[in-house]
Structures are given as C-alpha cells and as structure tokens.
Amino acid sequence: MKIVFLLHDTYGIGGTIRTTLNLATALADRHEVAIVSMRRHRTEPRFAIDPRIRLVPLVDVRKDSADLRDPRYTRPSGVFPAAESRHRQYNALIDDRVADYLSGSDADVLIGTRPGVNVYLARFGPRGALRIAQEHLRHDAHSKRLRAQLAPHYRTLDALVTMTEADAAIYRRRMPLPGVRVLSVPNSVPEPRVPTADGTAKVVAAAGRLARGKRYDLLIEAFAGVAEKHPDWRLRIYGHGPERDGLAQLIDDLGLTDAVRLMGVRSPIEPEFTRASVVAVTSEAESFGMTLVEAMRCGVPVVSTACPLGPAEIVRDGVDGLLVPVGDVAAFTKALLHLVEDEPGRRTMGAAALENAARFDPAHIARQYELLFATLRETRGARAHARRRAAARSRARDLLHRARLLGVARRAARLLRAG
C-alpha cells in the first residue's frame, strides 16, 4: 500500500513533525511511505528521517532558491483558508505545486496533518485514494471563522482523526460530517533509547514552549512550596518562547535562582527526563500531551493539570501520575510534595507509567491506522450513501425554507394591495 503524509514543513521542529515521522516509520515496515512537505526552509530536516521514507519538498524557500523568483510566490493562496494561522506562508505557487502533485498521485492513502493542508487534500486529492484529515489541535482552538471554512471541505473526506476521544466527540456534536468517519487515534511515541529513570534524582522537569497557555508561572510558584520544605530539590524547565524573560524575572522575584533553571531547548528530551524523578505539566489546555507520554516512556511519573483534553486520557490518576485542577497552585504544590516525599511511591508510579505508556508505541498506533484504512475501504459505499442522503435532506430543507419565505412574501403583498 502507498501512503503519503502531507506536512507544512518537514524541515522544522515541532510535535506534529515528530509524531508524523514516528507513525510514518512504523508504517514503513509494511508499506511504501512518502512525506510531502509544502515548504522547505533548510537543506536537511532537523529530525532524522528513516531512509525508507521518501521526502518530497514542493516549494523551496531557502535563500537564493529559484522558487522565490517565481511570480506566483508573491501572490496569495487562493485555496489555503484565510483564517488558518499559517495563511501568510502560503501562496499561489504552493497551490499549484500541491494540485500538480496530488492530481498525479497514485497513493492509496493520503493523510493531511493541519487544517489548511487538509483543505488542499479535500480540493485536490484523487477520489480513488482514501483521504484522511488529522487534527493536531483541539476543535475549540480553531476560530469560529476557521471552522466555518473547514466544514464544507471536511465533509468530502473519508475520515477525520483527532488526538483524543474527547475532541472527536466535540467534532461529532458541533461539526456534523455525514459519511465521514470521525474517530480518535493518539499520537505515537517510540521507546526511548536511554536507560529508564531510577527515581532517585531530586529533580522535577518540565518541557515545552514557554508560552502563556503552558502556565510555567504557576509551576514556578508551586515549586516554591517544594523548595521551602526540600531545598535540595531542583526544577528544570526546557524550551524557549515569548514568556522566557518574564519567567526569569519571576524566578528572581521568588528567590529561586538556585532552585529553578530555564534550560533552553533540548532535542531529544528523553535523556533529560531520565535525569528527573517527576515531570510536571501545568497547561490550561492540551490537544494531546506529548510531554506526558515521553516522560512516562522513560519511567517517570507525571503531575499534570486535568486540562482539556489530553491528560485525562493519558494519565491514570494515582496509578502512573497525578491530576490536579487547572490553575490551582496549592493543589499542584501538594501533588509535587506527595511524590517528592515518597520515593518508594514515585518508583512504583514510575514503573506503572513505563508499562502503561507502551500503548502509545508507534507499532501499536500504526496497527490502529491500518485497521482504519481497511474499515474505510469496506464502508465506502455506505458512507457515500450517507453523504448523498444528507445532501438530499439539506436541499429539501433549503427548498422548504424558500417556499416558506415565498409564502410570507405573497401574503405580505396581498395585505399591501388590500390596504
């Protein structure tokens, strides 16, 4: 089977790129796999790509590239949705290159990985292929305008895959897609090539973009209560982002410069997690929660906010980690102290985390996708019938609405004539 993934820019760093590569590598054990990158901004990808996977860049945006001199490069995209956050990075040249590639593709399965790319898939993907949209962000993270732009295109696809069942339920409720299979398949995380954490290090770790929604300010404030009782423990936060200077100032204001460090970016992150005994996530919302799974695959228990949507589907509260209310500093401090002060308990949780996180292994997730491919092929006729039936109902509703409006107009005209 020929499987093609469509990515925004395979040459960058990001969770969607990493998880796509994980899945593509697992599928390459039994299938012919390619990754099509809408853009190419550097010579080599930052992540290693399995040599069995064919990488196809469509538009080269590196300095001195001939693509930059193509007049279509400066014309805005007429396909990529205007409400999508990456809209300014798309243009008529990408539109044409994607259309040319997809129209000539002989792939059996095409998988898009972000909303705007999924619109390309809907517009240009050959109808003979299975066309699957992945949503790596939550439904509610999209603006109402973007959701309205996506819905008519998503209705033409075969499946919509979210990262959590909670998000799939929201799509089923708020964006009806007749004939489209809406389901969740979690991201995959491979077994790390590092020794499992032993739970003895007096370190709490966190990793991610230093952005407001991650609430690292709350984590630092919560850790202040840990440092007060256990001054030999340390907090290490990995990542970069716009909140860095503010977080550094907060660390200084709380007198935690010896206890808390902003470590910058580390890739891969797993070696850093194995040097910790607890990994913390304080986000207000997560579409999935890759950091949680990465930590658990290293045998590290986690403390996470019970934020929408991912953590509750990853962490088994009290078994392989702890879940606390969003925004509650005192509760987060209490949860951290629980693990800091109970070394046997956190080792037990770490062992459970290692065992439970195996369900996110790429081979297991790849089998879920293979089952989805088979199901979509088997149900093609039934889904097409459901789509036609829904379209007929929609047309009937429109005709009835127009008839009612016409009847109202005629009655008004009679009243005017009578008056």
Side-chain angles (χ1 to χ4, degrees), residues 15-205:
T16 299
I17 301 169
R18 190 165 72 250
T19 58
T20 299
L21 292 176
N22 290 342
L23 177 57
T25 300
L27 288 169
D29 288 340
R30 292 176 296 281
H31 307 282
E32 182 180 331
V33 180
I35 294 177
V36 175
S37 184
M38 306 294 105
R39 295 160 41 92
R40 177 185 192 170
H41 78 281
R42 65 196 313 269
T43 302
E44 297 294 333
R46 293 185 182 273
F47 293 121
I49 297 181
D50 189 297
R52 298 172 299 174
I53 298 171
R54 186 165 59 95
L55 178 58
V56 183
L58 296 183
V59 174
D60 192 340
V61 300
R62 289 177 292 173
K63 184 180 179 180
D64 299 327
S65 165
D67 286 344
L68 302 182
R69 297 188 293 276
D70 190 304
R72 293 172 294 175
Y73 185 82
T74 58
R75 295 205 302 267
S77 170
V79 178
F80 200 88
E84 229 267 39
S85 61
R86 297 282 188 182
H87 179 260
R88 291 186 178 181
Q89 296 182 354
Y90 282 76
N91 50 60
L93 180 59
I94 296 180
D95 289 353
D96 289 347
R97 295 274 174 86
V98 176
D100 289 345
Y101 178 87
L102 290 177
S103 65
S105 174
D106 61 350
D108 300 294
V109 180
L110 293 159
I111 303 175
T113 57
R114 67 172 300 121
V117 173
N118 293 335
V119 171
Y120 281 135
L121 178 60
R123 284 282 301 271
F124 306 124
R127 297 303 188 263
L130 295 177
R131 299 175 303 150
I132 299 170
Q134 289 182 343
E135 274 285 0
H136 289 265
L137 293 176
R138 299 173 294 116
H139 172 278
D140 293 349
H142 298 327
S143 67
K144 184 176 180 180
R145 182 182 173 215
L146 177 57
R147 293 197 297 267
Q149 292 175 351
L150 294 176
H153 297 288
Y154 279 14
R155 290 188 183 108
T156 71
L157 298 173
D158 291 288
L160 171 64
V161 177
T162 65
M163 302 300 108
T164 65
E165 177 53 34
D167 202 32
I170 292 173
Y171 270 98
R172 295 185 197 112
R173 187 168 63 250
R174 300 184 188 173
M175 187 187 287
L177 302 172
V180 180
R181 178 84 186 277
V182 179
L183 74 159
S184 68
V185 180
N187 282 326
S188 63
V189 178
E191 183 178 5
R193 297 178 181 177
V194 291
T196 302
D198 62 12
T200 61
K202 296 182 177 182
V203 174
V204 175

Side-chain angles (χ1 to χ4, degrees), residues 253-325:
D253 291 345
L254 294 176
L256 295 173
T257 52
D258 291 334
V260 181
R261 290 188 61 189
L262 301 177
M263 306 294 292
V265 175
R266 298 289 191 279
S267 182
I269 192 62
E270 286 85 354
E272 309 305 330
F273 284 165
T274 61
R275 299 184 183 103
S277 291
V278 181
V279 167
V281 172
T282 44
S283 301
E284 293 177 336
E286 288 283 352
S287 57
F288 179 61
M290 282 288 292
T291 298
L292 296 172
V293 181
E294 289 167 339
M296 293 165 69
R297 296 228 69 178
C298 293
V300 183
V302 295
V303 177
S304 174
T305 50
C307 64
L309 295 164
E313 295 186 22
I314 296 172
V315 180
R316 299 178 183 178
D317 189 28
V319 177
D320 49 27
L322 299 172
L323 295 172
V324 300

